[in-house]
Amino acid sequence: MDPIVVAAGTAVVSAMATSAWETARDGVVALWRRAHPDKAEQAGAELEVVRAEVVQARRDGDADTEQALAGEWQSKLQRLVRTEPALADEVRRLLEEYLMPALAADEQTRVRSIIQTANATGRHNTIYQAGGNITSYLPPTS
């Protein structure tokens, strides 16, 4: 699954429990309106139902339910992008402009850790990635 889609699905559900939810919701509905104008209102209504589940899960300390709901939204966004690959940039914009600003700093860090990617080509390339500090002791090169 595309890391941006995973991050966006996670952020949608996390944003549901914030005071900035209305703005985040508007961003998700706008994405659906561009992709499937006839299903945008249905998506908005579904978001409200899921929001109630997320708020209750947080009250109950039920991280499993919240994770399952995030998985559902990850799948929905993945299907959207798979059907219309041009929407991948729209999902990234949704994440950056609507969802991330709605999240607390610790949740932003958690979502950002999902989208770490790296590529290396050629011989003897090394990539180090971490969500925090790295200490590395490399042998001297000859």
Side-chain angles (χ1 to χ4, degrees):
M1 191 174 286
D2 183 317
I4 296 298
V5 167
V6 172
T10 300
V12 165
V13 171
S14 294
M16 289 177 175
T18 70
S19 60
W21 168 239
E22 292 299 320
T23 302
R25 179 195 178 280
D26 291 346
V28 175
V29 171
L31 173 65
W32 244 257
R33 191 167 284 117
R34 283 188 292 282
H36 301 290
D38 57 319
K39 296 179 182 176
E41 293 309 313
Q42 178 183 346
E46 184 179 344
L47 285 164
E48 291 306 321
V49 169
V50 173
R51 180 177 190 266
E53 293 177 45
V54 169
V55 169
Q56 186 63 48
R58 289 235 175 149
R59 260 191 229 123
D60 297 343
D62 184 358
D64 291 340
T65 294
E66 192 169 342
Q67 186 175 2
L69 294 168
E72 287 179 22
W73 277 93
Q74 292 164 0
S75 294
K76 288 176 189 294
L77 292 168
Q78 183 68 36
R79 283 191 299 274
L80 193 68
V81 170
R82 191 176 294 133
T83 303
E84 296 190 42
L87 291 174
D89 288 337
E90 294 294 322
V91 171
R92 181 182 299 274
R93 192 172 74 77
L94 169 69
L95 179 63
E96 292 171 359
E97 294 179 17
Y98 291 90
L99 300 175
M100 292 300 281
L103 302 179
D106 61 325
E107 295 215 50
Q108 287 182 16
T109 300
R110 184 172 60 93
V111 170
R112 282 192 180 100
S113 72
I114 295 170
I115 53 178
Q116 290 185 3
T117 59
N119 295 305
T121 58
R123 292 184 65 198
H124 308 294
N125 289 319
T126 304
I127 296 173
Y128 298 94
Q129 283 188 284
N133 296 332
I134 295 177
T135 301
S136 177
Y137 300 97
L138 296 174
T141 58
S142 36

